[in-house]
């Protein structure tokens, strides 16, 4: 039988507020245990929660970015259960009335696009951490994380493969960083997913029994956990068994999921509205102010890049991989348009030509260098303006693309802020391309004399030999020869 | 420091029945020092108070240090209305450096590292904490018999209960162990003991006094308020306690007001609403007589009476005993033995630690309410109990809205009977719960309510008149009470045995 996989994700994004969701304690990561837990976080007798407006604002930003409904009134509820790292004995969360309802996210799987709908997104507080090692049979409790603001984003069960689930998680990850509500640091747990996975016979419209896999904190684990779980469920059903509604944990070391608790063991959380917190009211004015302050969203920007700069869809997607990357592109393209090295008269033509040049340069040269250096573009030692000047010099045929790489690397090694640095390096390293026909003619003559065999090959019809000869000339000039000119001269001399 | 003439015994005796204003005048005139006042009341707590068990903690060192600081303020001429005045605080308020038990074994070792908003306000005003008063465990009780520290006795008759849950505070003020005290009221816990001990007590509108640092029983009902002998003193105390606090999200942001401003206003033309439901079956004849006599006084003062209806009030006890335990069951989850408070000494694993800690740490009444609360919030019961009760709560509140269209203020009995005997209702929770039948609806509606002394009933036990105002009408209620106290002297009576 053929099976269809059905996946929905619940994602916890830690909101990037400086203080906690209901107290003034810091949310900074990595402090000594229990040094960032105030009386409220410790749940001392008599303390009360106070809503952090910054957390609400971030939730609003998210809701507006995914085209969701912002509920003018949402309610905080208490989710009651006992655990040592849950100081109050309940977690404050939104239950019946979340702040964000609906919305959708566009995801890309290879060259296919898909819209994933969201069920809701709600605000809640994180719990502390239980440490079961190093305490000689006892457990340590660290409450630094207790009260950290989270946005739980729940998708509809619309993903049909681990690949789609990862594409969704990546798109969501990019979005929360884009709108600056979450640092997205998965190692530190700032962005983690629970996957609800079920299978059903292909063509069936009934959902199978699902299992929830908790706390997947990398895209790789997400993919592997789902793949394992799908295989497991199909195997169970094909062996005549039933899937039990349960919570499972993924063990990366053994690459398998295992049962944590079944529905029978599930808690009755006894949700009820938290009487310490009045309903959260979001006025139209507040909502609209947040909307007005939203940055241009990736989808809109992607479209604009394609339309305005003539960038391919593939390149446009790469350019919007982060907000920093996109703004670097726009800044560089703008500067190049100002410089207008090809002296184009038509504004639209200029934008398209220069935009394309920068896009290509970023997806090739710059992306490769960033990857190698494991650097984020925000920390690239080459400014957008410098990158534009570099391209101007290429377009003006002052330097070859080979030299451009060398200039980039030189700047990478000893960064300078001024855009004149490009010309200074060209000068200092003598990278100005050789464009003098006479000078080149002499070099070509030398190469032809030294490579009699290739010359003979070419003349007997082996076209490939031509490229080899071009390469020899370029090598002889240290990559500085104007490639177009080299080809012209070579062709003339070989055929003349 | 230049010392004023040492106060003779007669001066201190005058302190016994002095109002806050009189005490402040004596302090300002240097007839007495704050240290002497503190010593005087501490001595009374130690000697006369021992038979009442009104206090859980006294800490003379701390009190006297505060008194010395107050004397310095007075000497520097920067005294405020309550500077140097001894105040007894209910042991539900966290006070830095003080044992803060909430009447429970669970917190019998908890020394608070911080001050509640109420404590902070009194400290800032220069008042002196003379001790922490006994109370029903976690404020759950109407007789002060559920305290881990033993029952409080009524100064008018030590066989009788003082009422609860703020029984220690009411008894302390009645017996002149402190000039004034603080309390909290979730279903009548200020008004009921005030009535049974013959003192004045006020529960403000929900949200007027911050709950920050006040150990939560039922968050949507809890409200702190003052105990004193006179309405005038209550007003001065409310001036200190009331006001917006950003640390409590249910605290209301309103312009500060002077609660004394209307005390002397004549009552002529005031419409007093009398709910028929307050004078129906279950009201003891002595209480009915006292309330009627009080209303007659108000008529003499120029008030008119109108009959009003509170048809849903009969539902207030059942509604309360769904909602308050529901909130309490969750509020008390933090007492788990992990971070502070009592922890069982031996246990096999985490679940066993929780079980034993909470079994040992909580008394029977607290456990009963946690069980009720857990039950009504459980899957499958939530709609039938919790949600239904919330709906009825709105109906009860709506009754008052309708009633206040016809009257300016509502009056009735505070309690159905005078103080009952210790042990009399301890085994019958429902009878105990019914002793709050006239007070609970006020909490459900979030309205301000007060009780003022209105006479004595069977066995010469005090009786209270309940005065219920519209939202934020505390100043008007204090005016009404003050005018009543100008023509009556019930509030000036001292229990025999505590008059010296």
């Amino acid at each position: 039988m053929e099976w269809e996989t059905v996946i929905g994700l619940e994602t916890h994004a830690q909101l990037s507020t400086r203080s906690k969701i209901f107290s003034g304690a810091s949310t900074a990561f990595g402090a000594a245990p229990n040094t960032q837990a105030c009386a409220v976080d410790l749940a001392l007798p008599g303390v009360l929660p106070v809503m952090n407006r910054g957390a609400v604002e971030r939730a609003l930003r998210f809701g507006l970015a995914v085209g969701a409904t912002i509920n003018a009134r949402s309610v905080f509820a208490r989710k009651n259960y006992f655990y040592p790292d849950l100081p109050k004995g309940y977690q404050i969360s939104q239950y019946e009335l979340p702040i964000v309802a609906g919305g959708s996210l566009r995801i890309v799987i290879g060259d296919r696009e898909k819209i994933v709908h969201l069920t809701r997104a709600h605000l809640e507080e994180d719990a502390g951490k239980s440490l079961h090692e190093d305490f000689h049979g006892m457990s340590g409790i660290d409450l630094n994380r207790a009260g950290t603001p989270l946005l739980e984003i729940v998708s509809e069960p619309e993903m049909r493969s681990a690949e789609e689930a990862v594409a969704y998680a990546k798109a969501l990850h990019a979005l929360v960083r884009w709108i600056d509500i979450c640092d997205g640091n998965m190692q530190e747990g700032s962005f983690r997913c629970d996957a609800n996975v079920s299978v059903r016979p292909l063509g069936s419209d009934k959902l199978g029994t699902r299992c929830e896999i908790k706390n997947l904190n990398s895209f790789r684990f997400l993919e592997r956990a789902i793949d394992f779980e799908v295989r497991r469920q199909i195997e169970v059903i094909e062996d005549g068994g039933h899937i039990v509604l349960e919570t499972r944990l993924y063990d990366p070391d053994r690459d398998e999921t295992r049962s944590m608790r079944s529905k029978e063991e599930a808690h009755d959380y006894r949700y009820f509205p938290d009487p310490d917190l009045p309903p959260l009211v979001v006025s139209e004015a507040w909502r609209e102010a947040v909307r007005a302050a939203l940055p241009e969203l990736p989808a809109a920007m992607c479209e604009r890049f394609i339309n305005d700069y003539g960038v391919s869809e593939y390149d446009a997607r790469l350019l919007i991989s982060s907000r920093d990357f996109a703004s670097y592109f726009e800044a560089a393209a703008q500067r190049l348009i100002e410089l207008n090295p090809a002296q184009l008269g038509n504004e639209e033509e200029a934008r398209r030509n220069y935009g394309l040049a920068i896009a290509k340069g970023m997806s090739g040269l710059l992306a490769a260098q960033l990857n190698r250096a494991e650097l984020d573009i925000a920390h690239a030692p080459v400014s957008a303006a410098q990158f534009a000047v570099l391209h101007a010099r290429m377009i003006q045929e002052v330097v070859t693309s080979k030299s451009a790489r060398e200039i980039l690397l030189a700047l990478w090694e000893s960064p300078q802020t001024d855009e004149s640095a490009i010309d200074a390096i060209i000068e200092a390293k003598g990278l100005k391309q050789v464009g003098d026909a006479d000078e080149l003619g002499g070099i070509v003559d030398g190469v032809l004399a030294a490579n009699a065999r290739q010359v003979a090959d070419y003349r007997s019809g082996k076209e490939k030999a031509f490229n080899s000869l071009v390469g020899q000339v370029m090598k002889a000039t240290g990559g500085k020869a104007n490639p177009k000119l080299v080809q012209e001269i070579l062709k003339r001399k070989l055929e003349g | 420091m230049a010392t004023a003439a040492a106060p003779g015994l007669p001066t201190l005796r005058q302190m016994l029945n002095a109002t806050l204003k009189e005490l402040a005048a004596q302090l300002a005139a240097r007839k007495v020092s704050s240290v002497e006042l503190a010593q005087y009341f501490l001595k009374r707590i130690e000697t006369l108070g021992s038979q009442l068990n009104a206090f859980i903690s006294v800490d003379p060192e701390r009190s006297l240090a505060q008194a010395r600081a107050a004397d310095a303020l007075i000497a520097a001429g920067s005294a405020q209305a309550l500077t140097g005045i001894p105040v007894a605080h209910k042991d539900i308020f966290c006070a830095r450096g003080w044992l803060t038990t909430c009447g429970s074994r669970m917190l019998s070792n908890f020394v608070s590292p911080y001050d509640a908003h109420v404590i902070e306000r009194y400290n800032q005003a220069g008042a002196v904490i003379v001790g922490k008063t006994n109370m029903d465990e976690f404020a759950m009780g109407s007789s002060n018999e559920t305290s881990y520290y033993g029952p409080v006795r009524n100064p008018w008759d030590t066989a009788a209960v003082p009422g609860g849950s703020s029984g220690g505070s009411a008894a302390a003020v009645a017996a002149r162990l402190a000039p004034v005290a603080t309390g909290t009221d979730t279903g009548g816990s200020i008004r009921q003991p005030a009535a049974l001990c013959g003192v004045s007590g006020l529960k403000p509108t929900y949200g007027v006094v911050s709950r920050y640092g006040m150990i939560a029983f039922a968050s949507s009902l809890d409200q702190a308020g003052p105990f004193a002998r006179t309405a005038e003193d209550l007003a001065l105390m409310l001036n200190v306690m009331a006001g917006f606090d950003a640390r409590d999200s249910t605290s209301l942001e309103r312009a500060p007001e002077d609660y004394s401003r209307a005390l002397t206003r004549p009552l002529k033309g005031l419409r007093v609403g009398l709910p028929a439901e307050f004078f129906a079956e279950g009201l003891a004849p002595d209480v009915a007589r006292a309330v009627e006599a009080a209303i007659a006084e108000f008529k003499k003062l120029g008030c008119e009476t109108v009959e009003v209806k509170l048809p849903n009030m009969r539902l207030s006890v059942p509604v309360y005993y769904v909602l308050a335990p529901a909130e309490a069951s969750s509020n008390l989850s933090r007492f788990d033995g992990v971070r502070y408070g009592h922890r069982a000494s031996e246990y096999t694993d985490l679940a066993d630690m929780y079980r034993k800690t909470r079994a040992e740490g909580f008394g029977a009444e607290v456990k009963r309410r946690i069980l009720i609360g857990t039950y009504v919030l459980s899957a499958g019961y939530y709609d039938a109990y919790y949600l239904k009760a919330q709906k009825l709560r709105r109906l009860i509140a709506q009754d008052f809205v309708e009633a206040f269209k016809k009257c300016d203020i509502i009056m009735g009995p505070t309690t159905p009977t005078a103080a009952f005997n210790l042990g009399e209702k301890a085994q019958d929770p429902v009878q105990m719960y019914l002793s709050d039948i006239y007070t609970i609806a006020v909490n459900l509606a979030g309205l301000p309510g007060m009780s003022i002394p209105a006479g004595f009933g069977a066995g010469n036990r005090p009786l209270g008149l309940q005065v219920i105002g519209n939202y934020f009408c505390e100043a008007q209620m204090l005016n009404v009470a003050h005018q009543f106290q100008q023509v009556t002297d019930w509030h000036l009576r001292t229990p025999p045995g505590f008059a010296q």
Side-chain angles (χ1 to χ4, degrees):
Chain A
M1 190 188 289
E2 278 220 65
W3 296 93
E4 183 179 48
T5 305
V6 176
I7 304 161
L9 291 189
E10 291 170 19
T11 307
H12 288 93
Q14 178 181 326
L15 298 175
S16 54
T17 54
R18 274 188 303 181
S19 60
K20 294 186 176 178
I21 187 165
F22 299 120
S23 84
S26 162
T27 53
F29 180 82
N34 298 310
T35 56
Q36 300 195 347
C38 67
V40 174
D41 305 321
L42 295 172
L44 289 187
V47 296
L48 296 168
V50 176
M51 185 71 225
N52 178 338
R53 275 177 70 92
V56 180
E57 195 200 299
R58 281 164 179 78
L60 294 180
R61 258 195 284 199
F62 177 78
L64 294 169
V66 296
T69 303
I70 302 297
N71 284 325
R73 182 177 169 278
S74 59
V75 170
F76 286 100
R78 293 184 182 178
K79 178 181 181 179
N80 295 284
Y81 65 95
F82 284 98
Y83 204 68
D85 61 23
L86 186 73
K88 295 187 294 296
Y90 57 84
Q91 179 198 27
I92 304 177
S93 179
Q94 295 192 305
Y95 183 56
E96 280 182 331
L97 274 173
I99 182 164
V100 172
S104 64
L105 197 64
R106 189 168 67 167
I107 67 171
V108 178
I109 316 104
D111 48 12
R112 189 163 57 84
E113 268 194 14
K114 178 169 177 164
I115 302 290
V116 175
H117 293 94
L118 304 180
T119 314
R120 59 185 278 166
H122 66 253
L123 285 162
E124 63 181 29
E125 59 177 340
D126 208 346
K129 228 166 38 184
S130 293
L131 309 157
H132 298 298
E133 288 140 29
D134 310 330
F135 293 96
H136 312 288
M138 294 192 290
S139 291
I141 308 290
D142 178 6
L143 295 178
N144 283 353
R145 212 179 62 190
T148 298
L150 300 177
L151 188 68
E152 182 174 333
I153 303 154
V154 183
S155 85
E156 289 288 303
E158 292 181 346
M159 275 75 78
R160 293 292 175 265
S161 65
E163 198 191 4
E164 284 190 6
V166 170
Y168 165 83
K170 283 186 171 166
L172 194 59
H173 185 253
L175 178 67
V176 295
R177 292 175 44 168
W178 186 282
I179 58 175
D180 205 15
I181 64 168
C182 169
D183 67 15
N185 191 324
M186 296 178 84
Q187 276 100 49
E188 293 175 6
S190 298
F191 187 91
R192 46 192 203 262
C193 297
D194 302 340
N196 283 297
V197 180
S198 65
V199 298
R200 64 183 173 191
L202 192 63
S204 163
D205 56 2
K206 244 181 66 193
L207 287 172
T209 304
R210 68 188 147 81
C211 292
E212 183 182 18
I213 316 167
K214 282 264 177 211
N215 264 333
L216 298 160
N217 66 352
S218 83
F219 297 126
R220 198 166 63 96
F221 291 168
L222 176 65
E223 183 163 24
R224 296 177 69 161
I226 293 172
D227 278 339
F228 174 87
E229 183 58 20
V230 169
R231 279 200 307 276
R232 185 189 73 85
Q233 291 189 11
I234 292 173
E235 220 164 89
V236 168
I237 298 170
E238 287 186 339
D239 288 350
H242 293 282
I243 300 301
V244 188
L245 185 64
E246 63 182 355
T247 304
R248 299 177 71 86
L249 275 183
Y250 175 68
D251 178 348
D253 296 331
R254 304 171 64 172
D255 190 22
E256 62 178 31
T257 66
R258 54 168 189 269
S259 182
M260 200 173 124
R261 57 172 181 261
S262 72
K263 198 200 171 194
E264 286 71 43
E265 298 163 71
H267 295 105
D268 178 355
Y269 290 117
R270 306 190 310 280
Y271 283 99
F272 75 106
D274 191 332
D276 288 331
L277 290 162
L280 175 57
V281 174
V282 178
S283 66
E284 201 184 319
W286 189 9
R287 188 189 66 209
E288 291 313 312
V290 171
R291 194 198 301 276
L294 267 185
E296 186 181 9
L297 295 173
M301 208 177 244
C302 185
E303 208 160 297
R304 190 164 60 80
F305 286 177
I306 294 168
N307 292 336
D308 288 8
Y309 296 105
V311 172
S312 74
E313 197 173 326
Y314 180 87
D315 280 345
R317 273 202 207 117
L318 184 95
L319 292 176
I320 58 152
S321 61
S322 80
R323 214 164 119 193
D324 288 334
F325 212 73
S327 36
Y328 190 98
F329 165 72
E330 283 228 278
Q334 280 307 323
R335 183 71 189 118
L336 191 55
I337 290 166
E338 280 163 31
L339 294 170
N340 193 5
Q343 300 190 344
L344 299 170
N346 181 314
E347 207 177 299
E348 192 186 329
E349 195 190 353
R351 213 171 42 230
R352 292 185 150 255
N353 270 291
Y354 298 137
L356 205 57
I358 295 291
K360 289 251 167 291
M362 284 180 72
S363 63
L365 196 56
L366 188 61
Q369 187 53 31
L370 287 169
N371 278 343
R372 207 169 301 127
E374 293 186 355
L375 266 186
D376 198 82
I377 193 148
H379 303 107
V382 178
S383 72
Q386 289 169 337
F387 200 65
V389 172
L390 185 60
H391 280 77
R393 299 299 171 258
M394 277 195 278
I395 291 165
Q396 290 163 330
E397 300 188 339
V398 173
V399 295
T400 64
S401 58
K402 188 165 179 292
S403 301
R405 185 168 177 273
E406 206 178 323
I407 297 163
L408 189 82
L409 289 181
L411 203 50
W412 211 278
E413 291 306 318
S414 43
Q416 296 169 55
T417 50
D418 204 278
E419 65 174 52
S420 67
I422 300 290
D423 290 330
I425 293 169
I426 294 173
E427 192 64 34
K429 295 203 166 230
L431 292 173
K432 205 168 230 172
Q433 88 181 8
V434 181
D436 182 276
D438 287 349
E439 193 186 341
L440 270 182
I443 297 168
V444 168
D445 286 341
V447 166
L448 291 180
N451 293 278
R453 203 163 56 86
Q454 273 96 329
V455 173
D457 282 353
Y458 178 77
R459 285 186 172 144
S460 65
K462 288 185 183 165
E463 292 282 327
K464 263 196 195 162
F466 185 76
N467 291 338
S468 157
L469 288 167
V470 172
Q472 292 293 332
V473 177
M474 291 305 288
K475 196 173 165 190
T477 59
K480 291 184 292 183
N482 180 332
K484 258 192 289 179
L485 202 55
V486 169
Q487 293 194 13
E488 260 175 50
I489 294 171
L490 252 181
K491 214 157 248 178
R492 206 174 58 228
K493 295 207 183 242
L494 284 167
E495 276 154 27
Chain B
M1 189 176 101
T3 47
L9 213 51
T11 313
L12 280 172
R13 276 222 191 95
Q14 287 166 20
M15 301 302 117
L16 190 60
N17 291 309
T19 64
L20 293 183
K21 215 190 249 173
E22 288 161 358
L23 284 175
Q26 296 282 332
L27 284 164
R30 317 293 290 280
K31 292 272 171 56
V32 68
S33 71
S34 176
V35 166
E36 285 159 352
L37 265 187
Q39 282 168 336
Y40 175 66
F41 283 104
L42 284 167
K43 184 83 183 162
R44 283 183 69 86
I45 293 168
E46 192 192 328
T47 53
L48 290 168
S50 61
Q51 54 182 313
L52 299 180
N53 196 29
F55 284 81
I56 290 173
S57 301
V58 282
D59 187 340
E61 299 260 315
R62 266 173 200 286
S63 301
L64 293 173
Q66 269 191 314
R68 280 192 292 274
D71 280 331
L73 283 175
I74 294 165
S78 45
Q80 305 165 54
L82 263 63
T83 304
I85 308 275
V87 179
H89 290 295
K90 187 177 182 179
D91 207 24
I92 200 167
F93 295 105
C94 286
R96 193 167 62 228
W98 284 82
L99 186 68
T100 300
T101 71
C102 219
S104 180
R105 181 181 184 194
M106 190 56 98
L107 290 176
S108 53
N109 61 0
F110 179 69
V111 176
S112 177
Y114 79 105
D115 281 332
H117 174 86
V118 165
I119 300 289
E120 215 172 70
R121 285 291 190 91
Y122 277 99
N123 287 347
Q124 282 162 7
V128 174
I129 304 177
V130 78
K132 303 286 296 289
T133 60
N134 202 346
M135 56 182 284
D136 278 302
E137 185 179 9
F138 286 105
M140 298 176 189
S142 308
S143 66
N144 222 302
E145 290 168 295
T146 73
S147 170
Y148 173 63
Y149 295 90
V152 176
R153 287 168 188 276
N154 193 317
W156 290 93
D157 183 344
T158 53
V161 301
S165 66
S166 314
S169 291
V173 174
R176 314 294 193 258
L177 306 182
V180 293
T182 58
T184 61
D185 190 317
T186 306
S189 283
I190 289 176
R191 289 159 290 158
Q192 188 252 20
L196 302 195
C197 290
V199 298
S200 303
L202 171 66
K203 178 204 97 76
T205 307
Y206 183 81
V208 162
V209 178
S210 166
R211 294 183 295 117
Y212 185 78
M214 186 178 119
I215 300 175
F217 160 17
S219 314
S220 74
L221 301 160
D222 296 344
Q223 183 63 199
F227 283 98
R229 284 180 309 111
T230 66
E232 186 187 28
D233 285 357
L234 291 180
L236 292 174
M237 293 176 77
L238 198 55
N239 282 346
V240 170
M241 298 170 81
F244 176 67
D245 176 16
R247 295 168 301 184
D248 174 1
S249 307
T250 62
S251 164
L252 297 164
E253 214 167 343
R254 307 180 75 247
E257 54 180 301
D258 174 8
Y259 292 98
S260 307
R261 68 182 187 275
L263 289 176
T264 56
R265 195 181 289 166
L267 299 185
K268 192 158 171 47
L270 188 83
R271 294 171 303 163
V272 176
L274 302 174
E277 294 79 3
F278 274 19
F279 300 91
E281 195 194 331
L283 183 64
D286 54 346
V287 183
R289 271 197 301 276
V291 171
E292 278 154 21
I295 287 162
E297 287 295 335
F298 280 107
K299 282 184 177 161
K300 279 193 235 164
L301 290 166
C303 298
E304 302 159 16
T305 59
V306 277
E307 195 182 314
V308 294
K309 287 198 170 64
L310 300 172
N312 293 295
M313 201 196 79
R314 65 192 169 85
L315 298 169
S316 58
V317 172
V319 164
Y320 177 88
Y321 279 99
V322 169
L323 296 181
E327 293 181 15
S329 70
S330 176
N331 282 335
L332 269 59
S333 292
R334 68 187 58 196
F335 306 113
D336 58 4
V338 174
R339 297 166 316 287
Y340 51 78
H342 176 73
R343 183 194 288 185
S345 53
E346 276 174 41
Y347 45 87
T348 54
D349 58 14
L350 179 65
D352 193 44
M353 190 280 278
Y354 283 149
R355 211 176 289 126
K356 286 195 176 128
T357 295
R358 289 168 65 84
E360 295 166 6
F362 293 137
E365 183 59 28
V366 171
K367 284 177 195 162
R368 175 163 27 240
R369 299 201 194 188
I370 290 174
L371 286 173
I372 295 170
T374 303
Y375 180 81
V376 301
L377 289 176
S378 296
Y381 297 96
Y382 180 84
D383 290 4
Y385 292 103
Y386 182 82
L387 222 50
K388 184 70 140 298
Q390 286 289 22
K391 286 177 188 158
L392 294 175
R393 179 177 185 174
R394 283 191 283 277
L395 291 182
I396 292 164
Q398 192 56 37
D399 279 357
F400 282 102
V401 171
E402 294 303 319
F404 278 117
K405 287 178 182 166
K406 292 186 189 150
C407 65
D408 304 308
I409 207 145
I410 290 173
M411 289 185 194
T414 307
T415 59
T417 65
F420 44 91
N421 284 339
L422 256 86
E424 193 179 321
K425 296 184 181 177
Q427 301 310 315
D428 188 347
V430 174
Q431 274 311 305
M432 188 71 90
Y433 297 170
L434 285 173
S435 54
D436 293 329
I437 187 155
Y438 302 127
T439 48
I440 280 177
V442 173
N443 298 77
L444 291 170
L447 289 166
M450 71 190 297
S451 180
I452 49 175
F456 292 85
N460 200 33
R461 293 176 184 181
L463 299 171
L465 173 77
Q466 186 175 203
V467 178
I468 302 166
N470 210 337
Y471 298 103
F472 308 114
C473 289
E474 287 83 358
Q476 183 193 35
M477 295 158 66
L478 289 161
N479 164 224
V480 165
H482 181 70
Q483 291 305 310
F484 181 72
Q485 292 179 343
Q486 302 310 297
V487 294
T488 58
D489 68 350
W490 306 119
H491 61 292
L492 299 178
R493 310 281 180 91
T494 311
F498 296 93
Q500 293 293 311

